[in-house]
Amino acid sequence: MPFIALFPIISEAQEVQKIRRINPNIPYTFSSENSTYAYLKEGTVVPALSADHAVSYELPIGFPFQLGCDFYTGFYASSNGTLSFNNSFIGENNTSYILSMSRYANLTLLAPLWDDLNGDHGIFSYKTEGIAPNRVFTAEWKNWKWYYNASSAVISFQVKLYEGSNAIEYVYNQEPTPNTIEASASIGIYNDNTLNAEAKQLWLNNTSESPVASTSITENINVRPASGQLYRFTRNDTNVSCDGVDYYGQTIINPKGGTNANDGLRIILSGAANMQIRRNGKGQVYNPANNLSYGTTRPYNVPGTTTHGVVLAVGNSYFTGGMLKPASVTEQQLEVVSSTPQNSIESSPGHFVNEIKLAAVKNGLRYYLTVKYVYNFPENDFYMDYTVTIPEGNTEEVKLAHGWDTYLQGNDRGPGFISGTAPNLVVGVKREPSYEAFEFLEGIPWSGYFSAYYSLLNSDLGSEMTFKNTIDSDPNTDNGIGISMNFGKIPGSFTSSNKLVFACEAGDVAPALADRGGICQGGVLNLNSLITSPTPPGTVLIWKDSKDEDVADPTTVTTEGTYKAYYHSVKYDCDSPTAATVVTHDTSCGVCYRPGADTGTEAGSLTVISTLDRKNHPAVNPRNGALILESKEKGFAISKVASPETAIATPVEGMLVFDTTSNCLKLYNGISWNCIEQTCVDND
């Protein structure tokens, strides 16, 4: 069947993936012999083809015919000596250039005599004969002119298709008029259906009794095959080669995201692992306007500069997926093998997994690079595993590097940084709130890192394929970042697990502050009590005073002034935006006491509970109180009640409890329960 688009375009013009057979070895054997030509009798005539430069509508074969891995029940014939299956084809220019044109992608073509022919005064007919499963289809071009300007019939020829064996035969008969000197035909079969073999063509080099068939097209055949000459193409496969397909080309992780602050990252990937990241409506990789829209047909294109992509080195041979490469070396392109089917990337709601597989071949050995992307919506980072498979027989070091020209959400310039202790490093560039960084997690460690002027990425990597730990902390640097890894020589599969971070974990929003920043007379202010927003995980709250110095203890501030707060991530060495508040002394509040009573008649106590060694009886040592509690090491435990408002059905005015829900002493004033707070008493 013809190739169709399997996946819808979701949020922007996304080029669909293509598919290919996992095992594309579907060989055809060519043979030739002498036979007797018999004109087709009682066939179905197609008058439209008795003309120059004409093509038929789809016509029936009469049974399912298999070419390569696909079955066809219909065909299209042209006056130019061709028969096609999945699309009509009328081209008279029999050149490899024509076959390479994108307009003829997926073309399946039988070419018994492909040239600029003419069916004027000729008859095209077709017929299916026999009994299933051994039927034979025959199409005949009778009394055809070769070249188009021939005066009369030059040749007749037939295509025969055999049910079951799926063999193809071409048979010829010379007619009275010789062909013209302009004749320059091609004879063969061509199968460019995406699902079929990569060795998808066989062309004859001449029209002798024993021509040679190869994958190179011959474009200048000008001698007629002898009458009765038969050329046969036999399909030699048990269909094992047709089992299973690989998807490859452009993929998008979280295709509806990347538009605002709440819908995470949109990760756009070409077939060769070049990428654009969109966050909050902006591209994070230079050029931000380039979304790799042709990531399937142009997998090696990059968003912007010549310093983007992955590069794999086997010894002194370099294989690139984009434009990142060691300076002054000759490189080859990595082979695009496969990627996760677009409709399978979101394995569960909000969880995306995509694998892109690339390959390099050296000295007959095949090396694989598999890049695995894992993203959880709506995070601003994703996991990235680089797995390199080294084949048996390898004796050379295998190295990998990845890098790109950062864009910082439009700021484009920022200081490079490195944080952590090897191997647990974070390298990147920042200009708050914009941020781009690699973070090493586990596996094969980095052999080097880079965060400096983007155009130096290639030269810093060098032919040794190792970044030189270069960091440029100038905030005006137009930065690029990269990492390199050495996977060694030993055969096997080895993985370096990393994270790509596109926002500081401290967040894009400043701490939220309450408007109650007064220092009561004689008291202190806890600045942290002004924060009303939660602290982002992995960060700490930092306070700065009016001199931009750290506040040593923000819980006991006594000095008025302007204080600034922000969240800081130690791991990623980045900060949130800053919030500020003005702190003043508040003379309307504070702690004061009413003068004690020092006149009047002393009343005796009614009850004394004491752990002190008092020798006098309370009655002879009167105190001014109804209840006296005395101890130097004991405390008074008042009744503990959770939410007395609901727990105590009938409270009494003056009742006192400790509320374990509000963590305060509460007093019932006859109307409501309230926490007892220290304040200034009335001096009246």
Side-chain angles (χ1 to χ4, degrees), residues 64-141:
F65 177 77
Q66 186 176 11
L67 180 68
C69 286
D70 297 280
F71 286 88
Y72 303 93
T73 58
F75 71 97
Y76 303 84
S78 83
S79 63
N80 290 318
T82 61
L83 185 151
S84 59
F85 292 109
N86 52 355
N87 290 293
S88 62
F89 179 79
I90 198 174
E92 73 275 9
N93 294 318
N94 53 307
T95 65
S96 58
Y97 171 74
I98 293 296
L99 296 175
S100 68
M101 294 176 64
S102 60
R103 64 182 292 189
Y104 296 124
N106 303 317
L107 176 66
T108 52
L109 189 69
L110 303 185
L113 192 66
W114 181 20
D115 202 351
D116 190 357
L117 309 184
N118 191 339
D120 183 34
H121 292 91
I123 298 174
F124 177 87
S125 62
Y126 64 95
K127 184 179 182 180
T128 300
E129 300 175 286
I131 300 174
N134 298 303
R135 289 169 287 189
V136 179
F137 165 86
T138 303
E140 181 180 62
W141 290 256

Side-chain angles (χ1 to χ4, degrees), residues 336-410:
V336 176
V337 177
S338 65
S339 57
T340 302
Q342 180 65 51
N343 64 352
S344 300
I345 289 176
E346 189 172 8
S347 54
S348 60
H351 180 69
F352 301 83
V353 180
N354 183 21
E355 288 191 5
I356 294 177
K357 190 173 185 179
L358 307 170
V361 177
K362 182 177 182 181
N363 297 331
L365 300 178
R366 193 169 182 84
Y367 302 77
Y368 287 103
L369 166 63
T370 302
V371 187
K372 180 179 180 180
Y373 309 80
V374 179
Y375 174 68
N376 295 304
F377 178 87
E379 300 298 328
N380 288 308
D381 54 56
F382 59 91
Y383 298 92
M384 197 167 179
D385 289 352
Y386 307 91
T387 299
V388 170
T389 301
I390 302 173
E392 292 291 340
N394 175 71
T395 59
E396 300 179 280
E397 284 193 329
V398 180
K399 300 179 180 180
L400 177 70
H402 187 197
W404 67 85
D405 180 359
T406 61
Y407 194 62
L408 290 173
Q409 205 167 305

Side-chain angles (χ1 to χ4, degrees), residues 559-589:
T559 304
E560 62 182 1
T562 299
Y563 290 85
K564 294 178 291 186
Y566 59 90
Y567 299 116
H568 175 70
S569 168
V570 176
K571 176 192 285 188
Y572 296 115
D573 190 22
C574 57
D575 306 319
S576 74
T578 299
T581 186
V582 177
V583 174
T584 60
H585 286 294
D586 187 352
T587 58
S588 66
C589 66

